[in-house]
Amino acid sequence: MARPFDVRSVEAKWQERWRLEGTYDVDNDDPRERYYALCMYPYPSGAAHQGHVRNYTFGDLVVRYQTMRGKAVLSPFGFDSFGLPAENAAIKAGSHPRIFTEARMAELKRSVQRLGAVYDWRREVMSHDPQYMKYSQMIFLAFLRAGLAYRAEAPVNWCPGCATVLANEQVLADGTCERSGDVVERRNLEQWFFKITAYADELLTDLDTLEWPERVKTMQRNWIGRSEGVEFDLVVADDPSLAVRVFTTRPDTGFGITYAVVAPEHPMLDELTTDEQRSAVADLVARATSASEVERTASSDSGVGLTKRGAFTGRYVVNPFTGNAVPIYVADYVLGTYGTGAIMAVPGEDERDLAFARAYGLPVIQTVERPEGAGDGAYVGEGRHVNSGFLDGMSVAEAKPAATSFLTERARGVVTVNYRLRDWLVSRQRFWGCPIPVVYCDVCGVVPVPEEQLPIVAPDDVVMDRNGQSPLATHAAFRDTTCPVCGGPARREADTMDTFTDSSWYFLRYTDPFTPNRPFDPVEAAKWMPVDQYIGGIEHAILHLLYARFYLKALVDIGLAPGLVREPFTRLFTQGMIRLDGSKMSKSKGNLIAPEQYFDRVGADALRVFHLFVGPPADDVDWTSQTDDVIEGCARFLDRIYRLALDPNLVDRPRDDARDRPIEQAVHRTINRVTADLDRWSYNTAVAAVMELLNTVSKWAHDEGVDRAVFDEAIDVIVRVIAPIAPHVAAELWEIRHPGEPSVHAQAWPVADSGLVLEETVTMVVQVNGKVRARLEVRVDLSDEAAIAAALADETVREYLGGVTPTRIVARAPRLVNIIP
């Protein structure tokens, strides 16, 4: 379609000017009020797709809008450049991951710059940069000194497709790897961990202080999984010297214990197993070992298949409430890493216990009275206790402390708190990551690499394969080194760190990439932290956001970030995803829609307007066959602004209050609407408000001429409020209309005149018996009495009343009158 300006040249002109002039570079000593706006830094898998466009359009709008509000806005960019996709691509291509990664970084950077998104590129961070690696390794060593990093043998999730260990959070509910789709196996390996569990309670309670979507906070609360309960002993029936320690959150249901379960990893399992049951138990343990924790704890079981998920040990424990002996089973749905690794089973009040009991023919005792119609499933609601001895007749709330006291006196009971959260396993058997900075010496043991020897950088001449062992382990020049303590021979750690360690502190590096020999100067970081507005996908609700929160708290505690607020992100916005044919748009699915074709055809501004206008930013968007038409409609909207702003054919005329004041009112009401909408992330309605104003001004201007002052104010307001939305066309129009003045992006955000915003008339609804019968234009200061009089005087209302005197009239002037005959 014909455009009133050369879109490509105009956008290229302004992108180059913003870059060369450093329009959005900001110094740490800037005297303005500071504001830190940050989009999650991307993994460079290739050029931008529409998901990137949506994310960076939202972020860029925030940056430009807050700048016009008079703030010094920190807007940095960087790349989460380590990771499995680059390594796997390099394996296929027979090249080095760095080559793949840096080529993809260049593609993505070009796409982002063509979008018109602006950043302070002096602060660019790349996690594979040796300087960034150095500081990541310094942080690891600081954690090690503080006891927050440790090495232990543990059962881990092993992905054969990725040939590396996965965190629990990276295993899907069906037991497959979230990236490769391969079935995850269990292996015992010596691994490095970060002690995130030391912060479990703080990570949980501090969620209440954050302005985050409630569903994100709920996901983190569930993952941390705080449980208050009681630990107590179940004494082995035929050997009172032995006891199985269990944990429960429902001690009040103890009279319903009909069996007990230990985890396959439980240290007493061999001792608890009789010779007759040893083979069946061994089979169960073998099966459990090959399953991921996610598979083992899946809560969707209805009893089907559970006979293959448990085995009787051959021994019994005594229920301390009843004195009855109940059987001990081993089952994979109990984890050795949670609580005590053993549970009391109460099938009457627990769905999973009930499914297991039905599969094995175990008795079910109901201990809480059920309401009528509750069915025969496990009941977890409120009610009075039954079949519960001294607890009978008590409510659940009354029975819990009574049962706890009983267990404290009779079964070595201790009130305790457990968490579902496990320590963060950070070891990865891959090459393309930050090497863990320790060496192993036969004399000195585990030895940290001295900081003066950092960074430890992986060599380029490694063999990239998938044999399950880090390629660094077989590279003699990297592996073989000297012990920093004794000078004897030593071996470097061959594992690299989980790439989530890189994204757990990059936002701090952005605040101060200038101070030498430190990850950041905490004094400089404190000028910007915490991040005022963080923007990213809901898929990061658990992994990245939880780890970043832990990192900052730990860095404060160990002295690397003294004085900083302990939460990194004050406000979080999670944008909706882009779907094509019902699936999320992503490179792995091969369903990307690149923005370049739209940059070339309609321009970045039109594409930005589409993403802002198509729907609420938090909602998912379906990319359909009609999407191109909508994008072209957005381009026509911008063209109409351009043509009207520079229209040489408008006729000037003297001011006419009757015609011009409504235009002034519409302009200032639009300022208020757009400002409020941008503040509450209602971008679609903000764009709609500008479209409405454009229609109003255009009709007025082309009717019988314009008052030039009123017209100029209207156009200037339109240009200023679309500046964060469509920055290129706004900058171009402002330069043409105001030659020699600072750019529109350096102008102050418009402020509405309260006298013009106030509505002089409103529409009052008149109801008869609750049904709308008339709508009247009335003054905003109308009294209830005057409203009633106006309603009763309306001919339409009088017809509906038919001469009947109303029995009651409810007036809510100036909006509503309801007449009851």
Side-chain angles (χ1 to χ4, degrees):
M1 58 185 179
R3 307 295 298 276
F5 60 99
D6 186 332
V7 176
R8 293 185 65 177
S9 64
V10 165
E11 292 187 347
K13 161 190 165 181
W14 287 104
Q15 290 162 14
E16 182 72 1
R17 187 176 298 183
W18 295 327
R19 185 182 64 82
L20 291 177
E21 295 179 357
T23 305
Y24 289 88
D25 292 355
V26 63
D27 295 327
N28 287 355
D29 57 357
D30 194 299
R32 295 174 291 174
E33 178 186 351
R34 297 184 181 92
Y35 189 95
Y36 191 174
L38 183 60
C39 291
M40 296 179 185
Y41 79 159
Y43 179 77
S45 57
H49 53 70
Q50 296 302 327
H52 291 115
V53 171
R54 190 167 177 78
N55 182 264
Y56 299 129
T57 294
F58 295 162
D60 191 60
L61 185 151
V62 171
V63 171
R64 294 179 182 275
Y65 172 62
Q66 293 295 342
T67 298
M68 294 180 74
R69 298 294 296 267
K71 298 173 184 175
V73 181
L74 176 58
S75 172
F77 198 88
F79 296 95
D80 190 9
S81 47
F82 276 135
L84 283 173
E87 185 164 342
N88 290 339
I91 291 170
K92 291 180 181 178
S95 64
H96 195 283
R98 185 179 295 105
I99 298 171
F100 172 88
T101 299
E102 293 182 350
R104 303 293 82 74
M105 286 168 52
E107 290 176 356
L108 182 53
K109 191 171 182 177
R110 283 194 298 270
S111 297
V112 169
Q113 290 175 330
R114 285 202 66 186
L115 179 64
V118 286
Y119 303 99
D120 185 346
W121 289 103
R122 301 171 304 165
R123 300 173 185 263
E124 186 175 13
V125 162
M126 297 164 283
S127 53
H128 79 291
D129 174 27
Q131 276 296 101
Y132 192 80
M133 293 168 63
K134 172 183 177 179
Y135 299 131
S136 290
Q137 291 167 347
M138 286 175 62
I139 291 171
F140 179 95
L141 294 177
F143 281 6
L144 185 60
R145 290 192 296 270
L148 292 174
Y150 66 93
R151 194 165 182 254
E153 184 175 284
V156 297
N157 303 309
W158 178 265
C159 173
C162 297
T164 194
V165 168
L166 304 177
N168 288 337
E169 300 91 329
Q170 294 168 305
V171 182
L172 300 179
D174 62 359
T176 60
C177 171
E178 67 173 0
R179 182 171 293 279
S180 71
D182 289 282
V183 175
V184 175
E185 304 169 358
R186 297 288 283 175
R187 293 186 181 182
N188 281 326
L189 295 174
E190 195 82 13
Q191 303 284 292
W192 283 96
F193 294 84
F194 284 163
K195 202 169 185 179
I196 190 173
T197 53
Y199 290 84
D201 196 60
E202 187 181 356
L203 287 167
L204 186 66
T205 56
D206 283 359
L207 285 169
D208 294 335
T209 69
L210 303 178
E211 298 175 43
W212 287 17
E214 193 56 40
R215 64 171 177 161
V216 175
K217 293 198 283 189
T218 297
M219 291 167 75
Q220 289 216 358
R221 288 188 187 105
N222 291 342
W223 190 257
I224 296 167
R226 187 179 192 271
S227 300
E228 295 185 10
V230 184
E231 277 189 15
F232 66 96
D233 284 350
L234 293 174
V235 175
V236 176
D238 61 352
D239 186 351
S241 67
L242 292 178
V244 177
R245 193 80 172 162
V246 298
F247 170 80
T248 181
T249 60
R250 291 292 306 273
D252 58 301
T253 63
F255 280 89
I257 299 172
T258 59
Y259 65 100
V261 184
V262 297
E265 305 88 2
H266 198 284
M268 290 180 63
L269 179 58
D270 186 62
E271 192 173 10
L272 293 171
T273 304
T274 64
D275 290 341
E276 294 81 4
Q277 299 298 325
R278 202 165 298 280
S279 176
V281 168
D283 288 345
L284 183 282
V285 171
R287 287 195 300 271
T289 301
S290 65
S292 70
E293 287 190 2
V294 177
E295 284 180 291
R296 288 173 53 182
T297 58
S299 60
S300 59
D301 295 312
S302 59
V304 177
L306 278 177
T307 52
K308 296 181 179 179
R309 297 183 58 180
F312 178 42
T313 64
R315 298 186 81 174
Y316 296 79
V317 290
V318 177
N319 180 339
F321 289 92
T322 65
N324 297 332
V326 298
I328 311 171
Y329 280 77
V330 57
D332 65 355
Y333 74 87
V334 177
L335 302 177
T337 55
Y338 180 75
T340 63
I343 65 165
M344 65 178 220
V346 185
E349 277 77 39
D350 184 277
E351 281 290 350
R352 196 159 41 188
D353 291 350
L354 178 61
F356 192 90
R358 285 174 172 170
Y360 286 88
L362 298 167
V364 177
I365 299 173
Q366 296 178 1
T367 65
V368 179
E369 191 173 34
R370 305 168 179 227
E372 188 176 345
D376 62 353
Y379 179 66
V380 295
E382 294 296 323
R384 295 289 170 181
H385 271 275
V386 295
N387 304 319
S388 297
F390 67 90
L391 301 177
D392 279 351
M394 294 185 186
S395 67
V396 172
E398 293 167 339
K400 277 187 177 181
T404 298
S405 296
F406 174 86
L407 291 172
T408 301
E409 296 172 4
R410 305 287 186 89
R412 297 179 60 239
V414 177
V415 176
T416 188
V417 174
N418 277 327
Y419 294 91
R420 180 176 181 267
L421 181 68
R422 304 271 66 84
D423 279 341
W424 177 7
L425 192 160
V426 297
S427 294
R428 295 294 182 269
Q429 291 68 45
R430 300 308 301 243
F431 167 77
W432 193 234
C434 184
I436 295 174
V438 298
V439 301
Y440 301 100
C441 172
D442 291 340
V443 175
C444 304
V446 178
V447 181
V449 174
E451 289 190 358
E452 60 269 19
Q453 294 182 17
L454 301 180
I456 304 301
V457 180
D460 288 344
D461 57 339
V462 294
V463 177
M464 307 299 297
D465 59 34
R466 291 172 177 256
N467 62 9
Q469 185 179 37
S470 169
L472 298 177
T474 57
H475 192 283
F478 175 85
R479 178 192 62 209
D480 300 333
T481 186
T482 301
C483 174
V485 176
C486 70
R491 304 176 309 283
R492 289 196 188 280
E493 171 62 75
D495 287 354
T496 54
M497 285 187 257
D498 181 1
T499 55
F500 278 107
T501 61
D502 301 317
S503 59
S504 291
W505 73 279
Y506 78 106
F507 47 89
L508 293 165
R509 180 65 177 170
Y510 280 148
T511 65
D512 178 33
F514 311 116
T515 300
N517 300 316
R518 303 177 74 175
F520 53 88
D521 183 337
V523 174
E524 297 301 307
K527 294 176 180 179
W528 297 106
M529 292 296 295
V531 174
D532 292 282
Q533 183 64 67
Y534 201 35
I535 305 168
I538 189 69
E539 65 269 21
H540 300 295
I542 294 175
L543 290 171
H544 162 57
L545 291 171
L546 188 65
Y547 292 158
R549 296 178 62 220
F550 156 68
Y551 244 65
L552 182 53
K553 295 175 189 299
L555 289 171
V556 172
D557 288 344
I558 65 177
L560 288 183
L564 266 66
V565 175
R566 296 175 70 84
E567 283 290 339
F569 314 118
T570 301
R571 283 177 292 276
L572 172 70
F573 181 81
T574 55
Q575 80 278 4
M577 70 176 72
I578 307 289
R579 292 186 304 235
L580 183 65
D581 299 326
S583 296
K584 177 184 176 181
M585 197 176 286
S586 69
K587 185 179 178 71
S588 62
K589 289 183 169 64
N591 62 353
L592 302 182
I593 302 292
E596 276 70 20
Q597 58 178 305
Y598 299 99
F599 294 159
D600 293 338
R601 191 168 79 243
V602 295
D605 279 348
L607 188 59
R608 289 169 63 116
V609 171
F610 164 78
H611 278 283
L612 295 167
F613 179 61
V614 70
D619 289 0
D620 295 344
V621 173
D622 288 306
W623 198 275
T624 70
S625 57
Q626 285 77 47
T627 295
D628 280 11
D629 293 338
V630 180
I631 294 172
E632 291 192 2
C634 293
R636 287 192 294 272
F637 159 64
L638 297 176
D639 290 352
R640 289 184 62 212
I641 295 175
Y642 193 93
R643 290 190 177 99
L644 180 62
L646 304 178
D647 191 340
N649 300 316
L650 295 178
V651 177
D652 290 344
R653 58 162 176 77
R655 179 177 177 86
D656 178 350
D657 269 358
R659 297 187 62 223
D660 297 336
R661 185 169 176 80
I663 299 301
E664 293 173 319
Q665 291 174 319
V667 167
H668 285 265
R669 289 169 188 161
T670 300
I671 292 171
N672 264 9
R673 280 183 62 188
V674 173
T675 302
D677 287 345
L678 296 188
D679 284 340
R680 63 191 178 95
W681 284 82
S682 187
Y683 296 158
N684 55 316
T685 57
V687 174
V690 181
M691 289 178 172
E692 291 175 20
L693 179 62
L694 176 64
N695 290 337
T696 300
V697 173
S698 181
K699 185 177 185 302
W700 165 81
H702 290 102
D703 191 3
E704 296 179 12
V706 299
D707 176 280
R708 184 57 61 172
V710 175
F711 176 80
D712 285 345
E713 182 191 34
I715 294 300
D716 283 353
V717 165
I718 289 174
V719 172
R720 279 192 286 170
V721 297
I722 68 159
I725 295 167
H728 307 90
V729 70
E732 184 72 6
L733 281 173
W734 193 268
E735 184 178 64
I736 293 171
R737 290 175 52 80
H738 300 277
E741 288 190 16
S743 166
V744 67
H745 298 291
Q747 301 297 317
W749 186 255
V751 177
D753 182 328
S754 59
L756 291 170
V757 169
L758 181 66
E759 296 183 12
E760 295 177 352
T761 64
V762 296
T763 300
M764 183 175 74
V765 172
V766 182
Q767 298 176 335
V768 177
N769 264 345
K771 294 184 178 180
V772 177
R773 298 306 186 190
R775 288 182 170 86
L776 309 178
E777 287 299 310
V778 300
R779 291 182 56 83
V780 295
D781 57 355
L782 192 70
S783 66
D784 285 351
E785 293 76 12
I788 292 170
L792 292 175
D794 183 77
E795 286 297 327
T796 304
V797 173
R798 291 166 66 88
E799 288 178 13
Y800 276 104
L801 289 175
V804 176
T805 301
T807 59
R808 185 182 176 207
I809 301 177
V810 177
R812 298 288 184 268
R815 299 290 183 181
L816 174 69
V817 173
N818 187 19
I819 303 170
I820 298 107

